[in-house]
Amino acid sequence: MQLADTLRKVRQVKNTLLHPSCAAVIVAAGSSARMGGTDKMLSELGGLPVLSRTLRVFDDHAMIDTIIVVAREDRLAKISRVCSPYRKVRIVVPGGETRQDSVLNGLKAVPEEMQLVAVHDGARPLVRPSIIEKAILKAAKFGAAAPAIPVKDTIKVSKTGGVDETPDRKTLFAVQTPQVFDRALLLGALQNAKEKHLAVTDDCSAVEALGMTVLLTDGDEENIKITTPLDLDLAEAILRRRGVL
């Protein structure tokens, strides 16, 4: 009996290391201000809404157990219809006044038994499964991880209208999503940022404000965020190159 219990516990630990339980929070509650009045989540990309292409990647991913979608309150019905074909979508919840509030709303809908949460922009439909996997495995080991790519351009810091500083480009990275965290850690970080009125630009910033280190994983230049109509054209070209269209 003791041997059987020991073997069962070993299998449980092994399964957790190979596949830590992970929920995806897909944030689709933005204003689409730079899309000329079109909701980018519902914009067509190769015959499907942008959000559909994003959901398909996570719905098919073996390391994602459940999906929470966060949508604008006035788009809940439309977004829910887009989500209906995807079996892992647990619920669509309304967003908040800020992205931080929207992520917090989504996080509160994540089942407590989930070890990790992967927060992803609904407007990043070209994320590859390998990018998701690398971030999940790194977060399972260290508590927080996010994909990033090196910055190609020379960056100038300007607070006065002139150049105040030119940072070393070798130290600069553009962070993407999904950003993956221990569920309890992210919840505490977002609540801390809200209570202290911290102006955080992403979920990594909220975790960093607690003094935690976020590990970077390999990003992908094709993991673009749809922000303008031009991005839709670029995304369609990428899908064609991949042989999807």
Side-chain angles (χ1 to χ4, degrees):
M1 185 67 177
Q2 289 180 342
L3 177 60
D5 288 341
T6 300
L7 289 174
R8 177 174 52 80
K9 290 177 181 178
V10 169
R11 283 195 297 269
Q12 287 175 344
V13 170
K14 183 178 179 181
N15 289 336
T16 298
L17 291 173
L18 293 175
H19 180 186
S21 59
C22 184
V25 172
I26 307 297
V27 185
S31 62
S32 300
R34 286 173 281 183
M35 285 295 293
T38 303
D39 188 335
K40 60 187 175 185
M41 297 301 164
L42 303 175
S43 296
E44 185 176 304
L45 176 57
L48 289 172
V50 167
L51 181 58
S52 290
R53 292 205 172 273
T54 303
L55 288 172
R56 177 180 286 182
V57 182
F58 284 84
D59 201 59
D60 290 343
H61 204 292
M63 299 188 77
I64 298 296
D65 298 293
T66 189
I67 300 171
I68 311 298
V69 178
V70 188
R72 284 170 45 186
E73 196 155 7
D74 62 343
R75 291 286 192 272
L76 282 177
K78 290 183 178 180
I79 295 297
S80 294
R81 285 195 289 272
V82 171
C83 294
S84 61
Y86 302 99
R87 59 187 178 86
K88 290 183 183 177
V89 175
R90 174 186 177 91
I91 191 173
V92 180
V93 300
E97 292 184 7
T98 65
R99 185 184 186 281
Q100 178 182 318
D101 291 332
S102 294
V103 174
L104 191 55
N105 287 354
L107 188 57
K108 289 177 179 177
V110 171
E112 290 187 5
E113 64 269 20
M114 290 293 107
Q115 178 185 350
L116 301 174
V117 177
V119 182
H120 186 69
D121 298 321
R124 289 187 189 268
L126 304 178
V127 60
R128 294 182 185 274
S130 59
I131 300 300
I132 299 171
E133 180 178 352
K134 288 176 184 177
I136 289 174
L137 292 176
K138 186 73 75 171
K141 188 173 182 179
F142 295 101
I149 57 174
V151 170
K152 291 181 177 180
D153 298 324
T154 297
I155 304 298
K156 303 293 184 180
V157 176
S158 176
K159 300 178 182 179
T160 61
V163 175
D164 297 323
E165 183 183 353
T166 303
D168 182 356
R169 187 171 61 188
K170 294 179 181 178
T171 68
L172 300 177
F173 292 81
V175 179
Q176 303 175 334
T177 66
Q179 298 178 4
V180 188
F181 309 93
D182 175 88
R183 186 188 66 83
L185 170 63
L186 180 57
L187 181 60
L190 291 175
Q191 289 175 336
N192 175 68
K194 188 176 181 66
E195 290 169 3
K196 294 183 178 178
H197 305 288
L198 301 180
V200 295
T201 55
D202 67 351
D203 304 297
C204 288
S205 300
V207 171
E208 291 161 23
L210 291 179
M212 294 289 295
T213 299
V214 178
L215 276 294
L216 298 182
T217 58
D218 292 335
D220 182 0
E221 289 184 349
E222 294 184 356
N223 185 19
I224 64 172
K225 185 176 181 180
I226 306 297
T227 305
T228 68
L230 181 61
D231 295 326
L232 278 174
D233 294 337
L234 178 57
E236 191 162 320
I238 292 172
L239 289 176
R240 283 202 184 93
R241 191 176 69 178
R242 291 182 180 180
V244 175
L245 302 184

